[in-house]
Every structure is written in structure tokens, then in C-alpha cells.
Amino acid sequence: MNDAAVDTRKKFVRKITNTKQSEQGNQAPAITHPTMPLVRAKEIARHFDVHERTVCMWAQNGVIPCVRIGGALRFNLEAIIGGLS
């Protein structure tokens, strides 16, 4: 993993941790009318350089928004990135 990827990952994890602590249990905003197609946890994990299970735990804890389609988690990458800004 190169230095830029490590820095991006650290910033993302720090942002998630700070957001989670400040919300004190509030749920992440729901996905509403996505302009991008919904993607699987694998694509989110690849984008943020984390394991798929980490993405699923973030969703389960309300850190990132997701929808369930037939029991499978789907994510709007645009909503997740927008929520971090």
C-alpha cells in the first residue's frame, strides 16, 4: 500500500470515529434517490482500502448509510463520500 492510500485511509477512519462520537448513537442519514447506482460492500471496501466486513460493521453501527435489498446490503458511494465532507 502506498503512502497516499495509507493517509487517505487514516483520514477516513479518523473522520468516521469523530462522526460516530459526535452523533452519540444517531443513525447515519438514509439514502434518498441515489444519482449513482447502488454498489456492494466490496466496492466500498476497495474505495476506502478496508475489509468488506469493516464496511458491513460501519453500516450495522449506523456510521454509513445503506439499504437492504433482499437481505443484501447496498450502498450509495456518493452519499457516503458526501456525508464525510
Side-chain angles (χ1 to χ4, degrees):
M1 190 178 332
N2 64 28
D3 291 339
V6 171
D7 289 341
T8 301
R9 180 178 179 182
K10 286 180 181 177
K11 288 177 186 175
F12 179 73
V13 171
R14 195 172 327 136
K15 179 74 172 182
I16 285 177
T17 304
N18 292 340
T19 301
K20 187 66 178 171
Q21 290 172 350
S22 67
E23 290 178 356
Q24 294 298 320
N26 292 340
Q27 293 293 323
I31 296 175
T32 56
H33 306 294
T35 57
M36 290 180 60
L38 297 175
V39 297
R40 297 172 185 224
K42 185 175 189 174
E43 282 83 26
I44 301 296
R46 188 179 311 133
H47 183 80
F48 293 110
D49 193 29
V50 296
H51 196 274
E52 286 180 57
R53 291 184 68 171
T54 303
V55 174
C56 293
M57 286 181 8
W58 288 341
Q60 181 180 359
N61 293 331
V63 176
I64 59 175
C66 71
V67 293
R68 286 198 178 268
I69 300 175
L73 290 175
R74 294 294 184 262
F75 303 88
N76 180 339
L77 182 59
E78 184 178 86
I80 293 170
I81 293 173
L84 296 175
S85 302

